[in-house]
Amino acid sequence: MNLETKANAEPETTVQTGADVLVQALVEENVETIFGYPGGAVLPIYDALYRSEADFQHILTRHEQGAIHAAEGYARVRRKPGVVLATSGPGATNLVTGIADAMMDSLPLVVLTGQVATTVTGTDAFQEADIMGITTPITKHNYQVQSAYEIPKIIKEAFHIASTGRPGPVVVDIPKDISANPCFETDRSPFHLPGYKPTFKPNPLQIKKLSEALKKAEKPLILTGAGILHGGGSADLKEIVETFQIPVTSTLLGLGAFPGDHELFLGMAGMHGTYTSNMAITDCDLLINIGARFDDRLTGNLEHFAKNAVVAHIDIDPAEIGKNVPTDIPIVSDAGAALKEWKRQLKAGPENHQAWLDELQENKVAYPYWFNQPPKEMVAQWTIKKIYEATGGEAIVTTDVGQHQMWAAQYYKFSKPDKWVTSGGLGTMGFGFPAAIGCQLALPDEKVIALVGDGGFQMTLQELSMLQERHLPVKIVILNNQALGMVRQWQESFYEKRYSESIVACQPDFVKLAESYSIRGVKIETQEDFEKQIGELLDYEGPVLIDARVMQQENVFPMVSPGKGINDMVGVKPL
């Protein structure tokens, strides 16, 4: 336990408490890092952490939302459950946004919440909240501990459920008296979950059907989702794609599963995807969805989505198959396992889709992403391109939601797995900065860039404390357009330019704010200054905050308007 203020004279305990049992259970799960914030109902647990000699670190964030988003970032790149600890009532409810975010984006978390003592449960006791009832719809599973005896078994189950099958958050709610009282016996029997048996390996006959469909297809297309990253299937995917020359498009969260600079990659699909990708989905005769869930920002109006295609869907969650898009070849499996089996079965490649490849390549050349380029001022798209060039695509990039997120997806080419960490399904402002902290703690040797908007950054900026306190070299780039950019864009497009509460004229001095935390801050307003400084700033050994002043009027294009099919895009410009 790395508590810097740990006293020299430690209290001695001879009787194990429920909290001691919990800490030992976390040690047995090889927990390395806990993100949390103390409070009355979890003081027995924090006291047990203080007394423990366990070799893991507690990260004291400055808000519970910062803790859980940091745990999400940690889980995303470390590929193991992030662990969060918060007290009852407001401590627990401050975690709710992050729990929902992790559920939507299939991130494994074990969330430990304190609860009031069992003697006052149900009496509206101080800081009592029904976190079980609140989180049941947004967790993969949750527990309320009834006795310290069952803690080891519950913790083992929680980690198993969070990290197997479709990953997700599991809440373990622990009443204060159970963590504080002595515990003389614990349940060490192996856990048994007869109702929980995720299907890991695919049915070989279904993979055979997929192979046969590929042989017949003249216009095949692979859609990559985050399931490939969770399943570690990127290398097998690349081998299959290159062997059989299948074009690839991606969801927002699937970026990096296939190299973004590969000639067979068409770019992201969906509301702000490339024209080439959306037309490919519209015209393909075989759509192979690997590890994505066909969400509405990808599909647009379902009447127009892949209407001429045989649809194959590989997903470890059977509930996702056929939920939104009718599926002809359902394959319930871990994406990585399915790709291995598919690679094993494929003997000869189809040779009847060269005309399709030629058509797609012509579209890629003719309809690239575009933006207005002023002579001196910075626009966000240009800024992101320069960051990509400066990093060579090697950095981990985190974002919130909004314009900067879409521009990052469009202009930063993610060519390796696990370099892209964003809030996809829930679209959570305030996610990107604490998530970057979690990524940096998980992978200390990686360069981590939090690419955020000025609106989202102000929701969790108190976590600047963490950078200096933990000596984390995270680089924060605020794409500062003094507006809630995507809200402003939608008001411009669909509300006759009535910019109701989307222009944020009053802002802190971000440079002075960073300096108040003893962090280097730099404000940049021109292309010339940005190009001069970006290399040195990204190579700086410590944390840096860059207040990049970008033009407010820029919009994200191309775009599929709400209710339209993905073949009906606005803002498409031929080269």
Side-chain angles (χ1 to χ4, degrees):
M1 183 63 190
N2 297 322
L3 289 177
E4 295 180 0
T5 56
K6 195 168 186 176
N8 293 326
E10 299 180 4
E12 293 184 359
T13 57
T14 56
V15 178
Q16 193 177 43
T17 66
D20 295 320
V21 174
L22 172 65
V23 171
Q24 181 58 35
L26 296 176
V27 170
E28 291 170 7
E29 293 300 322
N30 297 315
V31 172
E32 301 163 340
T33 303
I34 299 174
F35 301 90
Y37 201 99
V42 286
L43 282 183
I45 299 173
Y46 272 88
D47 194 54
L49 290 171
Y50 187 89
R51 288 183 278 103
S52 172
E53 295 298 329
D55 187 23
F56 54 68
Q57 60 180 344
H58 178 276
I59 305 298
L60 175 64
T61 58
R62 298 311 191 256
H63 191 285
E64 289 87 353
Q65 185 175 358
I68 197 159
H69 291 328
E72 288 183 86
Y74 177 94
R76 176 65 192 80
V77 300
R78 194 74 173 85
R79 294 189 182 179
K80 62 182 297 185
V83 181
V84 184
L85 174 60
T87 194
S88 64
T93 57
N94 282 342
L95 299 174
V96 169
T97 297
I99 293 172
D101 192 274
M103 187 67 178
M104 291 283 276
D105 288 352
S106 305
L107 295 175
L109 297 181
V110 174
V111 181
L112 308 168
T113 55
Q115 186 53 273
V116 300
T118 56
T119 52
V120 293
T121 300
T123 67
D124 291 336
F126 177 67
Q127 292 193 332
E128 180 181 8
D130 178 12
I131 199 63
M132 297 289 287
I134 292 169
T135 62
T136 294
I138 55 171
T139 51
K140 190 174 177 184
H141 194 61
N142 59 17
Y143 296 86
Q144 187 164 60
V145 177
Q146 302 298 314
S147 74
Y149 172 80
E150 62 186 8
I151 287 176
K153 193 173 180 180
I154 285 177
I155 293 298
K156 280 191 178 298
E157 290 181 3
F159 275 82
H160 178 72
I161 292 171
S163 58
T164 56
R166 179 177 179 173
V170 176
V171 167
V172 181
D173 196 39
I174 309 171
K176 184 175 183 179
D177 54 332
I178 290 175
S179 60
N181 291 342
C183 176
F184 300 100
E185 186 180 7
T186 57
D187 184 357
R188 293 286 174 181
S189 62
F191 66 77
H192 178 56
L193 298 169
Y196 178 70
K197 294 181 179 177
T199 301
F200 183 77
K201 294 183 178 179
N203 183 328
L205 294 178
Q206 291 300 92
I207 296 291
K208 184 179 179 182
K209 285 185 180 179
L210 175 60
S211 300
E212 291 170 349
L214 179 60
K215 289 180 182 177
K216 295 176 184 175
E218 295 181 358
K219 297 181 176 182
L221 178 67
I222 288 177
L223 171 68
T224 60
I228 297 171
L229 299 167
H230 295 312
S234 293
D236 289 324
L237 172 68
K238 186 168 181 285
E239 188 173 337
I240 291 170
V241 167
E242 290 181 339
T243 301
F244 300 98
Q245 293 293 293
I246 310 168
V248 178
T249 185
S250 176
T251 66
L252 174 70
L253 291 177
L255 292 172
F258 186 77
D261 54 358
H262 198 287
E263 63 176 358
L264 288 171
F265 186 63
L266 308 179
M268 182 176 69
M271 178 173 279
H272 294 292
T274 64
Y275 173 82
T276 307
S277 287
N278 284 3
M279 292 305 108
I281 289 176
T282 302
D283 296 335
C284 69
D285 61 5
L286 172 63
L287 179 62
I288 306 166
N289 174 354
I290 308 175
R293 60 184 177 84
F294 283 135
D295 87 305
D296 60 300
R297 286 293 175 103
L298 168 75
T299 64
N301 188 323
L302 288 168
E303 289 184 13
H304 306 282
F305 184 80
K307 58 185 180 182
N308 300 317
V310 171
V311 175
H313 189 173
I314 299 170
D315 203 300
I316 199 164
D317 185 352
E320 290 294 344
I321 296 178
K323 185 175 78 175
N324 297 326
V325 173
T327 301
D328 302 290
I329 305 174
I331 301 173
V332 180
S333 171
D334 171 82
L339 285 163
K340 282 195 182 303
E341 175 62 21
W342 193 20
K343 189 176 74 171
R344 188 187 70 79
Q345 287 195 21
L346 283 171
K347 301 299 182 185
E351 298 177 354
N352 56 346
H353 59 261
Q354 186 57 50
W356 172 238
L357 293 178
D358 293 342
E359 175 187 335
L360 296 176
Q361 290 302 319
E362 288 174 8
N363 275 347
K364 277 182 68 175
V365 173
Y367 299 99
Y369 285 131
W370 62 273
F371 59 89
N372 297 311
Q373 180 67 69
K376 295 182 179 179
E377 300 89 344
M378 293 196 298
V379 292
Q381 303 94 315
W382 177 90
T383 307
I384 292 168
K385 286 185 69 173
K386 291 300 174 183
I387 293 172
Y388 170 72
E389 292 169 8
T391 62
E394 293 294 330
I396 294 173
V397 175
T398 70
T399 76
D400 290 341
V401 67
Q403 285 184 318
H404 73 280
Q405 179 192 40
M406 291 298 112
W407 284 323
Q410 291 178 338
Y411 291 99
Y412 194 102
K413 295 180 181 178
F414 297 94
S415 299
K416 294 181 179 178
D418 303 331
K419 299 293 187 184
W420 172 234
V421 180
T422 192
S423 175
L426 198 63
T428 304
M429 293 178 72
F431 171 89
F433 175 40
I437 292 172
C439 292
Q440 192 73 82
L441 286 162
L443 301 173
D445 296 332
E446 293 279 337
K447 187 183 295 295
V448 179
I449 301 173
L451 197 60
V452 295
D454 48 297
F457 180 62
Q458 292 186 71
M459 289 191 170
T460 49
L461 58 77
Q462 74 281 349
E463 305 307 339
L464 283 167
S465 296
M466 294 303 308
L467 299 190
Q468 188 63 13
E469 188 172 282
R470 292 283 170 174
H471 311 293
L472 301 175
V474 171
K475 307 299 182 287
I476 308 162
V477 181
I478 304 173
L479 295 169
N480 187 350
N481 61 2
Q482 300 186 60
L484 306 179
M486 192 61 87
V487 176
R488 186 201 58 74
Q489 178 172 338
W490 279 52
Q491 289 172 332
E492 180 178 314
S493 301
F494 309 118
Y495 295 88
E496 299 177 343
K497 298 184 179 181
R498 294 189 293 274
Y499 300 122
S500 178
E501 305 296 336
S502 61
I503 308 301
V504 188
C506 182
Q507 292 186 324
D509 184 325
F510 288 112
V511 172
K512 290 182 178 177
L513 179 71
E515 291 172 348
S516 74
Y517 286 92
S518 300
I519 292 170
R520 184 180 179 186
V522 181
K523 179 180 177 180
I524 305 179
E525 299 182 271
T526 67
Q527 295 177 31
E528 182 180 3
D529 287 346
F530 193 84
E531 288 200 276
K532 283 181 180 176
Q533 298 184 61
I534 186 61
E536 185 269 329
L537 291 172
L538 293 179
D539 289 339
Y540 183 71
E541 289 187 359
V544 174
L545 182 150
I546 304 171
D547 181 8
R549 295 302 179 109
V550 297
M551 295 183 68
Q552 188 179 79
Q553 294 78 17
E554 278 298 299
N555 289 333
V556 185
F557 288 120
M559 180 178 182
V560 177
S561 299
K564 301 290 186 181
I566 61 169
N567 59 328
D568 189 0
M569 305 184 77
V570 296
V572 177
K573 281 188 178 182
L575 188 67

